[in-house]
Amino acid sequence: MILKNKLDISGQNLDAYSRIKYDVVIIGSGAGGGTLAYALATKGMRVLLVERGISIPKEDDNWTEKGALGNKYRTRKNPINHFYVGGATKLYGAALYRLRAQDFVSTSHSNGASPLWPISYDELEPYYCKAEQLYRVHGSLDEDPTEPFHSMPYPYNPISHEPFIQTIVDKLKQNGHKVSSIPRGIDVGPNRTCIFCSTCDGYACKVHGKMDTEVAAILPALQTGNLDLVSEAECLRLTTNSSGTKIIEADIRQRSQVFKVTGHSFVVSGGVKGSPQLLFKSKCSSHPNGLANSSGLVGRYLCGHNAQLLFCLNGLTKIPKLHQKTFALNEFYHGSATFPAALGVIQAAGQIPVWMGFNRLVQPLMRMLASRSLLVFFMNEVLPSYENRIFLEENGNLKTSFTPNNLESFYELRKIAINLFKNAGFPIVLSRKQPLLWHPVGTCRFGRDPQNSVLDQWCRTHDIDNLYVVDGSFLPSAGAVNTALTVMAQALRVGEHLLSK
Ligand SMILES: Cc1cc2nc3c(=O)[nH]c(=O)nc-3n(C[C@H](O)[C@H](O)[C@H](O)COP(=O)(O)OP(=O)(O)OC[C@H]3O[C@@H](n4cnc5c(N)ncnc54)[C@H](O)[C@@H]3O)c2cc1C
């Protein structure tokens, strides 16, 4: 039976999906799952992509406060979620960095060390090139002192700074700093679709000019006819054969209907929370602590970045509406003259309506402040710790237990960042002291030792031969640059592995 591939299958007979044995069933359509679906479907594999969220329509709300940061789609049950076709990339800033080569080896920090990866930078490098092509990354090899080796240049030239931003960049450079362009996945090349607006980071793009995973990977993969996408459909459970050695089917619920799908391989790509959640929920007599959890490490080693915003106040004058996420300072990545251990990055943020994240009473004040400030991120690495984890409570609720670490370096970076912008002409620079966990990764880490990791180097679970986890949870550490490109590159690498089987 030939099925029509379309985004919303409501009204269709879901049983039709149950009658096909897919080559690969992928649960979750974010940076990991959506990119993997592209890698497989464009090479002829029959793929089912299951996504619990909606496909965000192209409508005016995308670019309003109502639509920003997914506000429109929040529910009481899911107050903060990134359940969309394309996952969190629908809202991301498309800063598509490669991890630095040193992030793949054990790196010393003032408060500990990050672990050795099971693969080297050189092994992932060709897939970084492919991911940069797919996501149309604009960047420069000449500006960033930490830029790792590229076997191919960026596919597109770096994005020019807006005049307002250029004056700040010039001032920072005059003060002796190494300012670099942020590698960005937005379509400002020939026949551009991006209109270079201020509503990019934190917003779903209304014109599909931002290369999120839906736009760059899923829509082209659907064109092949090899991909079926079921949206607004949650995978409730994966079931193994009687000996627990293989996954044989997945239970999918769309609205009130539950149906089963089968495949040769199953890939869980639900993100750092969604993937452990599904593995826990699928526990059975052969896997009493959850699937792929013989090590007891599913959900553990949650890490990522300690991040905070700087509000660089532009006096009483509002910052004009502009596309400001174009410059970064990575010169402190490995430390500074006075702080010899790893620090992190300082990076322009987009014009995000950050006040929406505050209590209603302080929102007017935060709005006034934010609209008069250049918003800049700074972030350093949260080191992987066994105690930081996602877990299921007895009643089935998903919980996070997380204590930030590596704070000495975070506070040093904060001090550097504040001084740097004061010296660049912003006499008042404000920033909260407590870091937020940003770019979370690591809840199903990959590694060579099955007792010390959940996945092997191909993101296949050590315990079950035809079960993979491909999303941010495979990373054993986060470095200090944005992590989505690494998820995309590894998804392309895993895709090649699955094709070769
Ligand atoms: C505002 C914002 C800005 C960001 N900016 C950047 C940036 O500039 N650069 C960068 O590198 N990163 C950025 N990020 C982070 C980046 O988007 C994420 O790291 C990345 O999307 C993670 O990919 P993933 O595949 O792990 O998960 P996700 O992209 O979160 O995808 C997981 C998907 O799985 C689905 N799912 C989960 N469980 C199930 C289930 N049981 N059944 C069906 N579907 C399921 C979810 O609905 C979701 O769509 C940003 C994030 C946000 C929120």
Side-chain angles (χ1 to χ4, degrees):
M1 171 182 217
I2 297 171
L3 287 173
K4 207 166 177 302
N5 312 93
K6 51 193 256 184
L7 286 180
D8 185 355
I9 61 157
S10 43
Q12 282 201 15
N13 179 8
L14 295 178
D15 284 346
Y17 290 84
S18 307
R19 277 184 240 127
I20 295 176
K21 183 151 186 184
Y22 287 93
D23 291 318
V24 183
V25 175
I26 303 174
I27 314 296
S29 67
T35 309
L36 178 63
Y38 173 90
L40 299 175
T42 52
K43 289 286 189 302
M45 273 201 172
R46 195 80 175 91
V47 181
L48 178 68
L49 185 57
V50 180
E51 170 54 53
R52 66 181 292 173
I54 58 159
S55 172
I56 299 181
K58 288 174 164 180
E59 58 189 15
D60 290 344
D61 268 353
N62 295 24
W63 286 341
T64 64
E65 278 177 26
K66 189 173 160 200
L69 298 169
N71 286 322
K72 190 174 168 184
Y73 305 105
R74 289 182 184 188
T75 60
R76 191 172 287 204
K77 206 167 152 212
N78 290 310
I80 298 180
N81 70 57
H82 306 125
F83 301 158
Y84 314 114
V85 173
T89 69
K90 286 309 290 181
L91 304 180
Y92 78 167
L96 292 178
Y97 274 98
R98 299 176 176 210
L99 284 185
R100 314 288 97 168
Q102 292 86 336
D103 294 325
F104 289 70
V105 296
S106 180
T107 315
S108 93
H109 290 252
S110 57
N111 299 126
S114 57
L116 175 69
W117 280 39
I119 59 171
S120 65
Y121 173 78
D122 289 347
E123 281 169 280
L124 199 57
E125 200 282 331
Y127 303 96
Y128 273 132
C129 292
K130 289 179 182 173
E132 284 165 353
Q133 297 281 341
L134 182 61
Y135 283 84
R136 301 192 200 178
V137 181
H138 295 62
S140 160
L141 294 181
D142 307 325
E143 301 169 349
D144 182 342
T146 67
E147 187 76 50
F149 164 74
H150 282 233
S151 59
M152 284 169 74
Y154 281 107
Y156 299 95
N157 288 331
I159 291 161
S160 312
H161 305 299
E162 297 250 32
F164 178 86
I165 296 296
Q166 186 66 54
T167 57
I168 299 164
V169 169
D170 291 344
K171 189 76 189 146
L172 288 164
K173 284 186 175 168
Q174 276 165 26
N175 292 350
H177 294 295
K178 298 189 176 71
V179 187
S180 47
S181 308
I182 300 178
R184 298 287 308 287
I186 57 175
D187 182 21
V188 292
N191 306 320
R192 57 188 287 169
T193 47
C194 170
I195 58 166
F196 212 49
C197 67
S198 62
T199 46
C200 186
D201 195 6
Y203 298 82
C205 181
K206 188 180 140 189
V207 294
H208 281 189
K210 177 165 75 177
M211 293 297 107
D212 60 53
T213 295
E214 182 187 21
V215 173
I218 297 172
L219 293 176
L222 283 169
Q223 300 291 321
T224 65
N226 295 324
L227 174 66
D228 290 332
L229 169 64
V230 192
S231 56
E232 297 178 70
E234 182 182 1
C235 178
L236 304 175
R237 177 179 179 81
L238 298 170
T239 306
T240 66
N241 58 6
S242 55
S243 53
T245 52
K246 271 184 91 163
I247 305 295
I248 50 169
E249 63 189 18
D251 290 3
I252 312 293
R253 179 177 59 202
Q254 196 192 45
R255 300 187 189 102
S256 57
Q257 235 184 312
V258 177
F259 63 108
K260 292 184 188 297
V261 295
T262 58
H264 291 285
S265 299
F266 289 79
V267 181
V268 178
S269 298
V272 285
K273 287 189 176 178
S275 287
Q277 182 177 31
L278 182 57
L279 296 176
F280 287 137
K281 276 172 41 180
S282 303
K283 70 180 179 188
C284 58
S285 54
S286 325
H287 301 276
N289 299 319
L291 297 181
N293 199 17
S294 62
S295 62
L297 297 185
V298 168
R300 297 262 178 195
Y301 292 108
L302 171 66
C303 53
H305 298 141
N306 290 312
Q308 217 14 297
L309 277 174
L310 298 178
F311 293 77
C312 307
L313 207 64
N314 193 36
L316 292 176
T317 321
K318 279 193 177 177
I319 303 270
K321 291 270 174 228
L322 47 82
H323 192 102
Q324 67 185 23
K325 193 176 177 68
T326 54
F327 75 94
L329 294 105
N330 287 352
E331 63 182 292
F332 307 107
Y333 203 83
H334 303 298
S336 71
T338 54
F339 194 92
L343 283 165
V345 307
I346 301 167
Q347 190 181 102
Q351 294 190 328
I352 306 170
V354 288
W355 52 88
M356 307 288 286
F358 287 80
N359 179 304
R360 273 177 190 274
L361 289 175
V362 290
Q363 276 189 12
L365 176 69
M366 292 312 298
R367 178 199 292 269
M368 197 186 71
L369 198 66
S371 54
R372 286 162 179 78
S373 300
L374 174 76
L375 296 181
V376 179
F377 266 120
F378 61 98
M379 55 193 181
N380 78 323
E381 182 169 350
V382 174
L383 298 171
S385 146
Y386 179 80
E387 304 303 332
N388 285 336
R389 64 180 179 132
I390 307 285
F391 61 102
L392 275 192
E393 287 183 319
E394 292 279 301
N395 59 11
N397 286 343
L398 194 67
K399 282 274 170 196
T400 304
S401 169
F402 178 78
T403 310
N405 62 38
N406 208 11
L407 292 177
E408 201 184 330
S409 133
F410 175 77
Y411 291 125
E412 180 67 17
L413 186 64
R414 179 176 181 271
K415 197 167 74 189
I416 292 172
I418 290 175
N419 285 337
L420 198 132
F421 283 95
K422 282 191 172 169
N423 294 337
F426 296 93
I428 300 177
V429 180
L430 304 171
S431 171
R432 283 178 142 187
K433 268 206 151 167
Q434 281 311 310
L436 291 171
L437 175 62
W438 200 239
H439 304 130
V441 299
T443 51
C444 295
R445 68 183 192 173
F446 76 165
R448 294 200 182 270
D449 178 358
Q451 296 196 333
N452 201 19
S453 56
V454 177
L455 311 171
D456 72 7
Q457 61 144 324
W458 302 107
C459 285
R460 181 172 52 189
T461 62
H462 291 300
D463 297 354
I464 301 176
D465 202 41
N466 70 338
L467 177 63
Y468 293 73
V469 180
V470 180
D471 56 28
S473 57
F474 87 84
L475 280 82
S477 58
V481 285
N482 319 50
T483 46
L485 189 75
T486 299
V487 178
M488 295 156 178
Q490 174 71 351
L492 296 177
R493 181 171 174 268
V494 174
E496 244 180 56
H497 164 77
L498 280 164
L499 285 159
S500 72
K501 280 185 70 179

